[in-house]
Amino acid sequence: MVEKHEDYGMTERNRQEKRCRGRPRVRSDEETRQLILEAANQQFVKAGYASANISVIAQTAGISTKTLYRLFPTKADLFSDVISKTINDYMLASDFEQLAKLPLRESLEKLLIAYGRLTLSHETIIMTRLVLGESERFPEIATAFYVRAIQKTSKTMEDWLQTRIASQEIEVQDAHAATGMLRGMMVMEPQRAVMLGQVEDIADGEIVARAQACAQLFLEGTRAR
């Protein structure tokens, strides 16, 4: 009788262990947010802002629309965070602390390459067209794009300039104005060509070469004498 009782106890423990092993891991809200943002980015790129379907985004992310609205109450919130995620990826590619350790020219080249890859990427071009085409109907997306993309990337570049000015490596009277000039020199012409459909896209080698040329030209005019 005792042996049967022990066998029964072992069987129950085995069942409990199997249930524990088979129980799916609970996904955190942050993990769910990332899945939603990836799905939303795909939907915005494919359908635009007005036609982006929240149900499709939820289905692609593998969640309910109720969960999506709990994490992103409005479509505008979702769009804003999609932009922020893209910019945060750029910020990682242009790690400020790492750039500060590099020689002046190499540091500027890496900063411009990261900025060029972001601004001239296929997805960013589509998002820029989306904002320009739909901002009159949805001014909130223009605000989100300006604040979370344009201003944030500008600040990264301006902070880099301020650091190099403080270390007396370059001489610039107005870092904010210089940032605008540097950004324009790096991307304006190729971005315009892509936006107007004159070229399909900009090859990575072209971005790197342009960054190197822009860095050389900029530093020739601003390097401390």
Side-chain angles (χ1 to χ4, degrees):
M1 294 294 291
V2 174
E3 290 179 358
K4 288 183 178 180
H5 184 270
E6 289 177 350
D7 289 343
Y8 175 77
M10 291 179 65
T11 302
E12 281 300 300
R13 283 196 297 273
N14 290 340
R15 287 174 182 167
Q16 290 175 4
E17 288 174 1
K18 286 181 180 179
R19 281 199 295 269
C20 289
R21 285 198 297 267
R23 187 176 299 163
R25 184 177 68 86
V26 177
R27 192 164 53 207
S28 69
D29 278 355
E30 183 55 33
E31 290 175 309
T32 303
R33 284 176 62 88
Q34 294 307 311
L35 290 174
I36 294 170
L37 291 175
E38 290 172 9
N41 185 60
Q42 294 173 21
Q43 181 66 188
F44 285 133
V45 166
K46 180 180 179 181
Y49 183 79
S51 299
N53 190 306
I54 294 297
S55 295
V56 171
I57 294 171
Q59 184 177 15
T60 303
I63 61 166
S64 66
T65 54
K66 181 180 179 180
T67 297
L68 190 151
Y69 279 120
R70 178 174 65 81
L71 296 172
F72 299 96
T74 69
K75 187 189 284 189
D77 292 328
L78 187 53
F79 183 81
S80 293
D81 278 21
V82 166
I83 297 300
S84 290
K85 183 180 185 302
T86 301
I87 300 307
N88 288 339
D89 291 343
Y90 156 73
M91 302 290 277
L92 290 174
S94 54
D95 187 291
F96 197 79
E97 290 185 4
Q98 291 299 318
L99 290 177
K101 298 174 183 177
L102 297 175
L104 178 63
R105 179 166 175 172
E106 183 182 355
S107 180
L108 180 55
E109 286 178 359
K110 286 187 177 296
L111 180 65
L112 291 174
I113 289 169
Y115 176 63
R117 285 171 174 164
L118 167 71
T119 307
L120 300 173
S121 71
H122 181 67
E123 285 189 355
T124 301
I125 292 293
I126 291 176
M127 281 293 188
T128 304
R129 285 175 176 156
L130 182 159
V131 171
L132 292 175
E134 301 192 50
S135 59
E136 188 171 345
R137 290 177 60 199
F138 305 101
E140 64 271 20
I141 68 174
T143 300
F145 193 77
Y146 182 74
V147 172
R148 301 202 179 198
I150 296 175
Q151 286 191 331
K152 197 166 184 178
T153 53
S154 289
K155 186 177 186 308
T156 299
M157 198 171 290
E158 187 171 339
D159 287 347
W160 182 91
L161 285 173
Q162 293 285 14
T163 299
R164 299 295 177 159
I165 292 169
S167 63
Q168 299 183 334
E169 294 173 275
I170 58 175
E171 295 177 350
V172 173
Q173 295 298 317
D174 187 338
H176 182 73
T179 297
M181 294 175 189
L182 193 54
R183 284 164 55 99
M185 184 166 55
M186 178 63 207
V187 302
M188 182 177 290
E189 189 278 330
Q191 183 186 49
R192 187 162 46 192
V194 177
M195 292 285 292
L196 295 176
Q198 299 307 296
V199 295
E200 186 173 346
D201 54 34
I202 307 298
D204 192 66
E206 293 180 57
I207 293 173
V208 172
R210 190 174 185 87
Q212 292 170 341
C214 288
Q216 180 179 351
L217 184 60
F218 182 80
L219 293 177
E220 283 178 357
T222 62
R223 193 186 295 271
R225 300 295 189 266

